[in-house]
Every structure is written in structure tokens, then in C-alpha cells.
């Protein structure tokens, strides 16, 4: 599990960095759906770090709301799995 989280964090961080790079240069962007999908699949830490470091997507209220929803959903999923006794987390 730790390998998955590390890899997904790095991939998500890189995707947010590339999107910021493209945004500054007015190039074709990575879709918000893709960024949020990476976040949901385990890249939450990478997304949050990239948002702070690159100041990317921090003023987009709808994006922040969706991101917050993903984090809440992840917490609920983890709590549910923990309650069921799944020890792979």
C-alpha cells in the first residue's frame, strides 16, 4: 500500500506541476477531471503539496470544493474499511 501511495503522490504532484507550467505558458491544459481522478486514486498528498508549492488551483472555489469532497470521501472509505477490520491500510 505504501508503494502505491508514494507512486500516486509523485504522479499527481507531477501532473499538477505540468498543468501549472502549461497554464503559465497558455498551452493546452490537463483537465480538472484527470487531476481530480489522480487525487482520488491516492494522490491527495501530491495534489495538496503541488497546490501549495506552485500556488496552483488555490483560487478556484469549485475545484477546492471538489477536492474537499474527495478528501472527505477518502476519509469515510478508510474509516469504513478500518471498522470492517481490513488491515491492508
Amino acid at each position: 500500500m505504501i508503494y502505491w501511495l508514494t507512486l500516486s503522490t509523485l504522479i499527481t504532484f507531477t501532473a499538477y506541476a505540468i498543468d501549472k507550467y502549461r497554464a503559465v505558458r497558455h498551452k493546452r491544459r490537463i483537465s480538472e477531471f484527470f487531476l481530480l481522478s489522480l487525487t482520488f486514486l491516492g494522490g491527495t498528498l501530491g495534489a495538496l503539496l503541488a497546490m501549495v508549492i506552485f500556488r496552483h488551483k488555490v483560487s478556484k472555489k469549485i475545484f477546492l470544493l471538489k477536492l474537499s469532497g474527495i478528501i472527505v470521501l477518502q476519509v469515510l472509505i478508510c474509516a469504513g474499511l478500518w471498522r470492517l477490520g481490513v488491515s491492508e491500510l
Side-chain angles (χ1 to χ4, degrees), residues 16-44:
Y16 276 73
I18 290 169
D19 189 52
K20 177 63 175 188
Y21 177 83
R22 290 179 179 178
V24 169
R25 285 161 180 71
H26 304 289
K27 301 284 183 179
R28 186 168 182 214
R29 307 278 303 278
I30 297 173
S31 72
E32 285 188 0
F33 177 80
F34 185 74
L35 293 173
L36 290 169
S37 296
L38 289 174
T39 303
F40 177 76
L41 294 173
T44 305

Side-chain angles (χ1 to χ4, degrees), residues 66-78:
K66 291 175 185 177
L67 182 70
S68 299
I70 287 172
I71 293 170
V72 167
L73 186 59
Q74 288 174 329
V75 168
L76 291 173
I77 289 169
C78 288

Side-chain angles (χ1 to χ4, degrees), residues 1 14 16 21 26 28-29 36 40-41 48-49 51-52 59-60 64 69 72 77 88-89:
M1 182 62 108
T14 303
Y16 276 73
Y21 177 83
H26 304 289
R28 186 168 182 214
R29 307 278 303 278
L36 290 169
F40 177 76
L41 294 173
L48 294 173
L49 285 173
M51 288 174 70
V52 170
S59 64
K60 307 286 184 186
L64 293 174
V72 167
I77 289 169
E88 289 295 317
L89 298 176

